[in-house]
Amino acid sequence: MSRQANRTTDSKKMNSELFTLTYGALVTQLCKDYENDEEVNKQLDKMGYNIGVRLIEDFLARSNIGRCQDFRETADVIAKVAFKMYLGITPSVTNWSPAGDEFSLILENNPLVDFVELPDNHSTLIYSNLLVGVLRGALEMVQMAVDVRFAQDTLRGDNVTEIRMKFIKRIEENLPAGDE
Amino acid sequence: MADEVLFEFLHMEIVSHVYKEQQSRKGELDGKDRSACVSILEGMGFRVGQGLIERLTKDSPSFKDELDIMKFICKDFWTKVFRRQVDNLRTNHQGTYVLQDNTFALLTQLSTGKQYLDQAPKYLAYSCGVVRGALSNLGLDSVVTAEVSTMPSCKFQVVIQKL
């Protein structure tokens, strides 16, 4: 009977723990597979990209959001809708460049690093680099080439986690020859 | 629930990474390499299962016996991890348990039927590890295997290792 009480714990919460721990297991495995952190970062980015190109479909289908008019709107959608939906957090959007083609996402608490401490010998590892790939991949599927990178990371001693995003260009839709 | 999609995609990437990694080392994959892949995935799941069960049971009273533990796994643990209860639990009362899940979360996206049946082991190894890890931290040494005859239904066989 007493065990019944535990069942009220939010099941979504547990799921994100499963996700966080699984992600940790992946990073551990990658560190075993590859010699240096650079290579691990690259792999995480690649896997993130693969996830992003598929995740965007899920996102568009569920969020009912149409085409963004400008990069500011894109930033808002990413921070307020997408991050909320998939990671349950809302990063703040700051540090706009004067041209409006570059901004930062500030993550107060990054769910991917919940139970993580980086050992000293992995100082160049960008633990959450998967996110970079996800963002890049997803935006590429909506015709935006964007440069994404971690500018700061609490795991490496910074005060906040900051993801810097820079709009590069709009990708032209290439219709196959002969198609209207 | 949104997280689950993210987890599913991540899981798929992990599976494909492990297999690609093995392939890049060996070229062609034979049966032995495939089982090496399965055991890597299982190992990853094992550690995760250990972590999950620690967090899940921190407020629960201690268990009476082995069956009590298995019931906990089938109900609470399964609900938290795979979002539904196990449909059927069978045991021979000698340490062998069969947990049947008729719509297993990680298989529902793959197929309903016998197509891709040969691919099923890759997508179950991780989960087997999670279950084994959970049991291990509850004090039960076990061997967990999975068997699929028609997707997305799946049977997990847990054999408790007596000391």
Side-chain angles (χ1 to χ4, degrees):
Chain A
M1 204 49 215
S2 52
R3 206 158 289 139
Q4 213 85 26
N6 294 330
R7 245 166 251 161
T8 50
T9 352
D10 187 8
S11 62
K12 180 171 180 173
K13 184 85 175 58
M14 196 60 210
N15 257 333
S16 83
E17 275 173 12
L18 174 70
F19 177 70
T20 305
L21 289 169
T22 304
Y23 185 69
L26 167 68
V27 178
T28 313
Q29 183 64 36
L30 289 175
C31 287
K32 268 187 223 159
D33 287 349
Y34 300 105
E35 299 285 310
N36 59 46
D37 293 347
E38 285 306 313
E39 195 59 34
V40 176
N41 294 342
K42 220 161 84 190
Q43 273 299 321
L44 285 172
D45 178 83
K46 209 163 100 189
M47 295 169 90
Y49 178 85
N50 292 341
I51 293 176
V53 298
R54 279 179 279 164
L55 198 65
I56 187 73
E57 306 269 343
D58 179 79
F59 176 73
L60 293 177
R62 287 204 321 218
S63 63
N64 228 343
I65 282 172
R67 209 166 261 279
C68 290
Q69 296 307 318
D70 56 18
F71 204 41
R72 282 179 190 272
E73 194 184 337
T74 311
D76 269 353
V77 170
I78 292 172
K80 297 196 181 115
V81 190
F83 266 86
K84 179 110 198 90
M85 195 177 211
Y86 292 109
L87 293 174
I89 54 168
T90 313
S92 49
V93 180
T94 55
N95 290 345
W96 277 99
S97 65
D101 63 346
E102 210 175 331
F103 69 90
S104 294
L105 291 169
I106 307 287
L107 280 70
E108 295 283 321
N109 43 354
N110 177 0
L112 287 183
V113 302
D114 267 352
F115 319 108
V116 182
E117 225 174 273
L118 275 193
D120 293 335
N121 57 345
H122 282 295
S123 52
T124 48
L125 176 71
I126 309 172
Y127 185 85
S128 318
N129 214 32
L130 188 91
L131 289 182
V132 167
V134 172
L135 288 165
R136 193 164 51 85
L139 289 173
E140 201 171 301
M141 292 299 114
V142 288
Q143 276 85 44
M144 288 170 130
V146 179
D147 178 56
V148 190
R149 65 191 167 82
F150 271 90
Q152 298 188 71
D153 193 343
T154 45
L155 275 186
R156 296 193 288 168
D158 298 315
N159 288 328
V160 286
T161 299
E162 175 185 355
I163 302 176
R164 192 80 183 142
M165 306 198 39
K166 184 178 180 8
F167 180 80
I168 302 172
K169 62 166 188 183
R170 184 157 280 284
I171 301 166
E172 298 299 326
E173 288 190 59
N174 280 336
L175 292 178
D179 240 21
E180 278 298 307
Chain B
M1 228 180 305
D3 282 329
E4 87 193 41
V5 189
L6 210 50
F7 171 73
E8 272 161 28
F9 283 153
L10 181 68
H11 179 259
M12 281 185 217
E13 282 304 313
I14 290 176
V15 172
S16 92
H17 163 77
V18 169
Y19 275 77
K20 246 188 255 157
E21 181 62 25
Q22 193 78 4
Q23 198 157 27
S24 72
R25 270 176 209 175
K26 292 285 189 61
E28 203 58 24
L29 286 188
D30 57 29
K32 212 170 111 211
D33 299 329
R34 275 199 199 90
S35 65
C37 291
V38 165
S39 71
I40 291 174
L41 287 169
E42 221 235 346
M44 293 170 80
F46 183 80
R47 181 65 196 88
V48 171
Q50 285 185 315
L52 281 176
I53 203 77
E54 269 176 24
R55 302 186 62 77
L56 249 174
T57 52
K58 66 179 191 294
D59 305 315
S60 69
S62 52
F63 299 98
K64 281 203 306 286
D65 52 16
E66 205 174 282
L67 191 63
D68 203 27
I69 292 178
M70 290 313 292
K71 280 185 187 156
F72 177 81
I73 293 285
C74 290
K75 285 187 182 158
D76 300 54
F77 185 75
W78 221 263
T79 320
K80 293 284 159 60
V81 180
F82 303 116
R83 298 180 300 283
R84 56 198 314 280
Q85 282 189 19
V86 164
D87 292 293
N88 191 343
L89 169 66
R90 282 185 215 206
T91 173
N92 65 355
H93 296 288
Q94 283 165 12
T96 302
Y97 299 84
V98 176
L99 288 63
Q100 185 173 348
D101 188 335
N102 290 333
T103 33
F104 187 63
L106 292 171
L107 293 178
T108 43
Q109 305 289 337
L110 289 186
S111 147
T112 48
K114 294 194 185 298
Q115 200 186 5
Y116 304 124
L117 210 54
D118 53 328
Q119 302 289 321
K122 330 179 171 182
Y123 293 99
L124 293 167
Y126 183 79
S127 310
C128 286
V130 171
V131 176
R132 195 166 67 87
L135 286 170
S136 148
N137 265 24
L138 291 171
L140 294 178
D141 251 344
S142 60
V143 173
V144 181
T145 48
E147 187 188 306
V148 189
S149 52
T150 325
M151 287 204 211
S153 143
C154 178
K155 276 183 192 156
F156 288 89
Q157 180 169 332
V158 178
V159 181
I160 308 288
Q161 308 290 299
K162 293 279 184 265
L163 292 174

